Amino acid sequence: MNRSNGSPSDRSITRSGATLAASDFLQLNPADAPRGGMSDWLARQIRRAVAEGLLPPGSRLPATRVLADELGVSRGVVTEAYRRLTEDGHVEGRGRAGTVVLAAPLVRPPEDGLVEREHGGRGQAGRGPVGHRAEGRGTGERRAAARRAEEGGSTSEERALFGDPLDTGVFDALRAAPARVDLSPGLPDLAAFPRAAWLRAERAVLAGLVPADFGYGDPRGTPALRRAVARWLALNRGIAADPDEVLIVAGTAQALGLLALVLKDEGVTRVALEDPSSLGIRQHLRNSGLASPPVPVDERGVRVDALRATGARVALLTPAHQFPTGVVLDGVRRRELADWARDGGLIIEDDYDAEHRYDRPPVPALRSTLADHVAYAGSVSKLLAPALRVGWLLAPRRYRDALVDAKRFADLGNAALPQLVLAHLMESGELERHLRFLRRRHRGRRDAMIAALADRLPGAVVHGAAAGLHLTVTLEPGCDDVALAAAALERGVKVQPLSWHAQRPGRPGLVLGYAASTPSDIREGVSALGDLLR
Amino acid sequence: MNRSNGSPSDRSITRSGATLAASDFLQLNPADAPRGGMSDWLARQIRRAVAEGLLPPGSRLPATRVLADELGVSRGVVTEAYRRLTEDGHVEGRGRAGTVVLAAPLVRPPEDGLVEREHGGRGQAGRGPVGHRAEGRGTGERRAAARRAEEGGSTSEERALFGDPLDTGVFDALRAAPARVDLSPGLPDLAAFPRAAWLRAERAVLAGLVPADFGYGDPRGTPALRRAVARWLALNRGIAADPDEVLIVAGTAQALGLLALVLKDEGVTRVALEDPSSLGIRQHLRNSGLASPPVPVDERGVRVDALRATGARVALLTPAHQFPTGVVLDGVRRRELADWARDGGLIIEDDYDAEHRYDRPPVPALRSTLADHVAYAGSVSKLLAPALRVGWLLAPRRYRDALVDAKRFADLGNAALPQLVLAHLMESGELERHLRFLRRRHRGRRDAMIAALADRLPGAVVHGAAAGLHLTVTLEPGCDDVALAAAALERGVKVQPLSWHAQRPGRPGLVLGYAASTPSDIREGVSALGDLLR
């Protein structure tokens, strides 16, 4: 399987090659499966094969009928296993084109015990992870990039930029740096912002306002938006909430700041974080004077045993689509988390991009079943635009008055006009239409990025493709992802090193946003990364 | 001079009566004047006469030629004295109608030594302040209002509302209370919000945006608005500032919150406040854990000797139009303040309504001459609408980085669209046109309120009419202004008691916003107050 050659014809051979291997190629032995758990076992084995690069993105899985015959199991067992892999975002059904591998898990399957993202040389004999097989390629350029950075080949701004990521302002500097292609994660397709619909809604809103609406408002937000958000969350996130429970905030950053204030008043000093997790969140907690003990994430989601071991009373989690790994918190972990919360834990649920699910409706928010234990934060940053600075916070009842006070003293409440325009877009169905449009467009861009990565970064393993606005790729151990990102910026391509988002040493990689770039920009950006690694 | 009878014919007699009294009526003796200080002395004497009710609002001053003849001084001396009184907002030139008294100083002239706002029985023999002469009127109704409040005649919400004003949420509750007439201070004419111009500007802005403008922006604000604000402040407030010095914030409330954070990190524990001053500001400081030692205000503005005596390193001041007294900080006090600042003091200049000056351009901001010692805060809340939640903070250089960090972690920066629309309105001249329109309209409403007060609340003394969006009236000592405000709310009229805004015991009164109400609503509201006091 030659994946170093990037020509389209080779890739198609590679892809079809995987379909020939089937159970033998995957070294599947149904006798290993536990009784009554055949689907689960099969899904796990395929997941492991994907993780280890046996089934690279683009590979086609055997037809369910064929694999069922080979393994001597019912076809339903295979169908169920494929369904689970689809839910996890590792594969995707493409009708007559079959079931195709999308992305690998970033982390070991949970049965491996402790999570080691820097997993070298394990797995079936002779078949290391893709990053390992790519050993020898890319290192020259990586070293060259690192050398350029050391020798001052990059500008001082770039060096400062890729210095201590906990320096506040690192995102400002990265944003301000000029680049032809911006593959920063966290942005939806900004060119798709519904300008005409926004303006229409604003005209309607302005025509209907009474003078008092221009005055000082309810610090919790306008009643119209709180109603619209409650309805939106019921429809999209399975959350049953009264509009009175909704606090409108200036994005998730403010939600976190207000929570930090209120929790610190309660004596909280630490908020456990998934590791890896968003650097921005970690900077924010540090600024608030809160420690952030790291909790490993495996293929099922955050490790609740490890969370318990930290002793932290509060955890900030991304259950619907873990940032940046893309893992979806599974049912087992949800139950464990619920137990942890009922023992006195508070979950801050950062539901940052759950609506961007490509295969099926997103899993319900934790808040839907744990209203008394979850402070739920969402925003329009990934639905419409970060520049709108509108989000919402639904907190357990005992925190609500203090949060309203905190919001009042922060800014007396969000600006009224954008709230009312947004409420109009939500209630008229425009936002739902926009989201459907975005999902189609983002999915095309995700596929373009996966294809470009297979073509131009064959040594990289792709993770977290079922949802969201970004992919995470891991690179061979030893690769300096910060030097790579700095070198990429020199070539006009903005990406974020995975190590920025990790607290403990881990597999190097890149977090690559695809939603805000055109397919041709994505190809250009990924090609530049490939050149640097070659 | 019978001012207890409110009929128009009586008032016209009263007004013309004042013109007959001239120097004799005012007991002016030029021999008392210091050498070379005749204008100053004359202005002081007239101011005192206004303060003591000898020249109630609506009175006409003697023609300059007449008074100069009577006093045996040059006409220029009288003209200069009238000019000073005009600048202070106590009188106003009305062309052929002469120079008319608008409003009295809330506080004693500075040469009286210690400020006592509860000044009883002083002044020329037999002529107490207006509030005293009205003794006996209004007390029955005031007691009735107080009794109703005690007996539960007002609702529990109203009692809660007018309970401890330092309770957070008191403004929310007052805002939420239904009322036919809202004379709350601090609002411009909201019905005049330029909806069409806003929508036109938004269309132009949306058409010109590049996708990146919808992304995460500079936490300091959009460059376009920072440029526009720098230009606006140069033209309107005499401030020469680079756009890079401008931090866009979510209104003055946020400016204050960010400053509180940064100053507390520096070890600041107290921010001196003018007394009286805005209750909202005092609540905010308390919420930030900062003490607010009160500093008396006299007719020249804040008492800098008293400020020094507090030992506070930071003072929050409203120099252009002291809230709520309406005093304009005079030149002497400006120089004293500059000395205090250069000795290590920091002034937070809350320039909340300086653009609303009716007689002449507003005095330049303190920031214009003390850039290294003043953190200047302004907003569009009084120019356009509080609901926009846009303001600006220009701080001394040494605080800037910390303030940008504080803003970043507060909310990552203001929303972009409203900033760009506002910049468009500023740069196109639309905002200046709107301000001119507002000034005309507000001035008419101010005059309507002054007339209604003279008519319906003849026992009240009016203060601070030269600028702003509100008047302050003081009532007879012993009047319970909180009970009065509660009783007014029962009758559908929203006003704020002056005692809410005072830290030390002082003259009771009301703070009455006129800008957001029509002249007929103003008359209705003031009439209801008059009924309650009769």
Side-chain angles (χ1 to χ4, degrees):
Chain A
M1 190 163 65
N2 176 7
R3 292 170 67 254
S4 66
N5 183 325
S7 79
S9 60
D10 280 346
R11 274 191 297 120
S12 70
I13 291 166
T14 306
R15 285 179 176 174
S16 61
T19 65
L20 299 175
S23 64
D24 193 42
F25 172 79
L26 295 170
Q27 302 188 332
L28 295 176
N29 181 1
D32 295 344
R35 285 171 61 90
M38 182 66 86
S39 290
D40 196 43
W41 169 83
L42 178 58
R44 227 160 41 231
Q45 297 307 312
I46 296 175
R47 207 179 275 131
R48 185 185 295 263
V50 173
E52 291 169 352
L54 298 175
L55 289 170
S59 311
R60 208 177 311 141
L61 294 184
T64 52
R65 186 188 42 75
V66 172
L67 188 56
D69 281 355
E70 286 188 20
L71 296 174
V73 300
S74 81
R75 195 170 161 192
V77 164
V78 180
T79 307
E80 173 61 16
Y82 283 17
R83 194 191 60 75
R84 293 187 192 182
L85 292 167
T86 304
E87 286 194 1
D88 291 346
H90 299 132
V91 307
E92 179 176 64
R94 291 193 175 159
R96 293 172 66 183
T99 301
V100 175
V101 174
L102 281 182
L106 180 54
V107 288
R108 281 197 196 187
E111 53 271 78
D112 285 2
L114 275 180
V115 171
E116 290 173 36
R117 275 173 304 112
E118 190 141 11
H119 49 133
R122 63 182 190 78
Q124 280 92 343
R127 294 198 185 99
V130 172
H132 275 210
R133 280 186 293 140
E135 194 91 60
R137 270 184 291 111
T139 48
E141 183 60 24
R142 174 181 59 74
R143 286 193 201 110
R147 198 171 53 241
R148 265 200 309 281
E150 281 160 17
E151 291 169 357
S154 58
T155 68
S156 63
E157 287 74 17
E158 280 162 4
R159 277 203 309 281
L161 219 165
F162 287 102
D164 178 4
L166 277 172
D167 275 355
T168 61
V170 68
F171 290 117
D172 295 343
L174 186 56
R175 185 169 48 243
R180 279 193 327 281
V181 179
D182 187 351
L183 301 181
S184 302
L187 292 175
D189 180 14
L190 298 175
F193 184 86
R195 303 179 193 214
W198 183 271
L199 202 61
R200 272 197 309 276
E202 179 134 350
R203 183 183 299 113
V205 162
L206 278 169
L209 289 185
V210 298
D213 293 328
F214 291 104
Y216 292 98
D218 188 325
R220 295 174 299 173
T222 63
L225 183 57
R226 283 152 61 216
R227 277 194 304 274
V229 166
R231 201 136 37 201
W232 177 268
L233 293 178
L235 284 172
N236 289 277
R237 306 300 297 119
I239 292 174
D242 189 87
D244 272 349
E245 299 174 44
V246 177
L247 178 65
I248 301 298
V249 293
T252 302
Q254 186 175 59
L256 194 52
L258 302 180
L259 278 168
L261 266 180
V262 168
L263 292 173
K264 281 174 70 184
D265 273 354
E266 259 201 351
V268 169
T269 58
R270 311 186 316 146
V271 173
L273 281 188
E274 297 156 333
D275 190 41
S277 64
S278 155
L279 170 63
I281 301 269
R282 198 148 42 96
Q283 288 181 340
H284 206 309
L285 292 176
R286 192 166 104 142
N287 179 69
S288 296
L290 292 164
S292 54
V295 182
V297 175
D298 66 23
E299 190 170 273
R300 308 187 107 148
V302 69
R303 286 264 309 276
V304 182
D305 55 341
L307 170 58
R308 267 189 201 276
T310 66
R313 283 173 49 206
V314 183
L316 189 149
L317 306 175
T318 51
H321 183 234
Q322 204 277 328
F323 185 90
T325 64
V327 171
V328 178
L329 192 73
D330 82 355
V332 174
R333 291 290 161 78
R334 287 183 160 244
R335 285 189 292 277
E336 291 177 12
L337 257 184
D339 288 342
W340 175 80
R342 291 199 189 94
D343 290 345
L346 175 72
I347 297 162
I348 302 174
E349 180 171 23
D350 179 6
D351 204 33
Y352 68 106
D353 70 356
E355 291 94 343
H356 296 279
R357 179 88 198 185
Y358 301 118
D359 51 350
R360 57 176 192 101
V363 292
L366 284 181
R367 173 62 167 69
S368 65
T369 53
L370 289 171
D372 291 342
H373 306 284
V374 172
Y376 173 91
S379 85
V380 298
S381 295
K382 275 76 180 170
L383 282 172
L384 281 167
L388 295 177
R389 308 310 308 132
V390 178
W392 36 85
L393 175 60
L394 284 74
R397 183 177 307 277
R398 64 189 180 281
Y399 295 113
R400 265 177 231 155
D401 288 348
L403 286 167
V404 172
D405 262 5
K407 174 64 177 168
R408 175 187 297 111
F409 288 113
D411 54 20
L412 304 183
N414 264 44
L417 272 183
Q419 288 187 70
L420 295 168
V421 174
L422 181 60
H424 198 277
L425 292 175
M426 283 177 154
E427 299 285 24
S428 66
E430 286 273 10
L431 188 62
E432 178 58 38
R433 270 192 292 283
H434 180 63
L435 181 57
R436 282 200 299 271
F437 168 80
L438 278 187
R439 275 199 209 102
R440 278 195 306 278
R441 179 175 279 203
H442 289 171
R443 183 183 184 134
R445 292 176 172 194
R446 176 200 64 172
D447 293 344
M449 182 173 268
I450 289 175
L453 287 167
D455 192 14
R456 308 290 301 167
L457 244 71
V461 186
V462 178
H463 313 276
L469 310 172
H470 72 274
L471 293 170
T472 295
V473 300
T474 46
L475 304 167
E476 47 175 322
C479 170
D480 180 347
D481 57 11
V482 171
L484 176 61
L489 187 59
E490 262 186 89
R491 299 197 171 201
V493 180
K494 233 176 255 190
V495 298
Q496 290 183 5
L498 176 57
S499 60
W500 267 14
H501 301 285
Q503 296 198 64
R504 302 163 310 147
R507 190 81 180 263
L510 297 173
V511 187
L512 301 172
Y514 51 76
S517 299
T518 62
S520 69
D521 281 348
I522 289 170
R523 275 189 294 274
E524 182 186 341
V526 171
S527 292
L529 295 171
D531 291 346
L532 287 170
L533 279 174
R534 231 184 314 276
Chain B
M1 190 164 64
N2 177 7
R3 293 174 64 254
S4 66
N5 184 324
S7 80
S9 59
D10 280 348
R11 273 190 301 120
S12 69
I13 291 167
T14 305
R15 284 179 178 176
S16 60
T19 65
L20 300 174
S23 64
D24 192 43
F25 172 79
L26 294 171
Q27 302 187 331
L28 295 176
N29 181 1
D32 296 344
R35 284 172 61 91
M38 182 66 86
S39 289
D40 197 42
W41 167 84
L42 179 57
R44 228 161 40 230
Q45 296 307 313
I46 297 176
R47 208 177 276 130
R48 185 185 296 262
V50 173
E52 290 169 352
L54 298 173
L55 290 168
S59 310
R60 209 177 310 142
L61 294 184
T64 50
R65 185 186 43 75
V66 172
L67 189 54
D69 283 354
E70 287 187 19
L71 296 174
V73 300
S74 80
R75 196 170 162 191
V77 165
V78 180
T79 307
E80 172 62 16
Y82 283 17
R83 194 191 59 75
R84 294 188 193 181
L85 293 166
T86 305
E87 285 195 2
D88 291 346
H90 298 131
V91 306
E92 181 176 63
R94 289 194 178 159
R96 295 171 65 181
T99 302
V100 175
V101 173
L102 280 181
L106 180 54
V107 288
R108 281 196 195 188
E111 52 271 78
D112 285 2
L114 277 178
V115 171
E116 290 173 39
R117 275 172 303 112
E118 190 139 11
H119 49 133
R122 64 179 189 81
Q124 280 90 344
R127 295 197 185 99
V130 172
H132 275 208
R133 280 184 293 139
E135 194 90 61
R137 269 184 293 109
T139 47
E141 182 61 24
R142 176 181 57 74
R143 285 193 200 110
R147 198 171 52 241
R148 266 201 308 284
E150 282 160 16
E151 290 169 357
S154 58
T155 67
S156 61
E157 287 74 16
E158 281 161 4
R159 276 202 309 284
L161 219 165
F162 288 102
D164 177 5
L166 277 172
D167 276 355
T168 60
V170 68
F171 291 116
D172 295 343
L174 186 56
R175 185 169 46 244
R180 280 193 326 282
V181 179
D182 187 351
L183 301 180
S184 303
L187 292 175
D189 180 14
L190 299 173
F193 184 86
R195 304 181 193 212
W198 183 272
L199 202 61
R200 272 196 311 274
E202 178 133 351
R203 184 183 299 110
V205 162
L206 278 169
L209 290 184
V210 299
D213 293 328
F214 292 104
Y216 292 98
D218 189 325
R220 295 175 299 172
T222 62
L225 183 58
R226 283 153 60 217
R227 277 195 304 272
V229 167
R231 201 134 38 198
W232 177 267
L233 293 177
L235 284 172
N236 290 277
R237 306 299 297 119
I239 293 173
D242 189 86
D244 272 349
E245 299 175 44
V246 177
L247 178 65
I248 301 299
V249 294
T252 303
Q254 186 175 59
L256 194 53
L258 303 180
L259 279 167
L261 267 180
V262 168
L263 292 172
K264 282 174 69 183
D265 273 354
E266 259 201 351
V268 170
T269 57
R270 310 183 318 144
V271 173
L273 280 189
E274 297 155 334
D275 190 41
S277 63
S278 155
L279 170 63
I281 301 270
R282 197 149 41 97
Q283 288 181 341
H284 206 307
L285 292 176
R286 191 165 105 142
N287 179 69
S288 296
L290 291 165
S292 55
V295 182
V297 175
D298 66 23
E299 191 170 272
R300 309 188 107 147
V302 69
R303 286 263 308 277
V304 183
D305 55 341
L307 170 58
R308 269 189 201 277
T310 66
R313 283 175 48 207
V314 183
L316 189 149
L317 306 176
T318 50
H321 184 233
Q322 204 276 329
F323 185 91
T325 65
V327 172
V328 179
L329 193 73
D330 81 357
V332 174
R333 292 291 160 77
R334 286 184 162 244
R335 285 188 292 278
E336 291 177 12
L337 257 184
D339 289 342
W340 175 82
R342 292 199 189 94
D343 291 345
L346 175 72
I347 297 162
I348 303 174
E349 181 171 24
D350 179 4
D351 204 32
Y352 68 106
D353 69 356
E355 291 94 344
H356 298 278
R357 179 89 197 188
Y358 300 119
D359 51 353
R360 57 179 190 100
V363 293
L366 285 181
R367 173 61 167 70
S368 65
T369 53
L370 289 171
D372 291 341
H373 306 284
V374 172
Y376 174 92
S379 84
V380 297
S381 295
K382 275 76 179 171
L383 284 172
L384 281 167
L388 295 177
R389 309 308 309 131
V390 178
W392 38 86
L393 175 59
L394 283 74
R397 185 178 307 277
R398 64 188 180 282
Y399 296 112
R400 266 176 230 155
D401 288 350
L403 285 168
V404 172
D405 262 6
K407 174 64 176 167
R408 176 186 295 110
F409 288 113
D411 53 21
L412 304 184
N414 264 45
L417 271 184
Q419 286 188 72
L420 294 169
V421 174
L422 181 59
H424 197 278
L425 293 175
M426 282 177 155
E427 300 285 24
S428 66
E430 287 272 11
L431 189 62
E432 178 58 38
R433 269 192 292 284
H434 180 64
L435 181 57
R436 281 200 299 270
F437 168 80
L438 277 187
R439 275 200 207 102
R440 278 195 306 277
R441 179 176 279 203
H442 288 170
R443 183 183 183 134
R445 291 176 173 193
R446 177 200 64 171
D447 293 344
M449 183 173 269
I450 289 175
L453 288 167
D455 193 16
R456 309 290 301 167
L457 245 71
V461 186
V462 178
H463 314 274
L469 310 172
H470 72 274
L471 293 170
T472 295
V473 300
T474 46
L475 304 167
E476 47 175 323
C479 171
D480 179 345
D481 58 11
V482 171
L484 176 61
L489 188 58
E490 262 185 89
R491 297 194 173 203
V493 179
K494 234 177 253 190
V495 298
Q496 289 183 7
L498 176 57
S499 61
W500 266 15
H501 300 285
Q503 296 198 62
R504 301 162 313 147
R507 190 83 178 264
L510 297 173
V511 187
L512 300 172
Y514 52 75
S517 299
T518 63
S520 70
D521 282 349
I522 288 170
R523 276 190 293 274
E524 182 187 340
V526 172
S527 292
L529 294 171
D531 291 345
L532 286 170
L533 278 174
R534 231 184 311 279

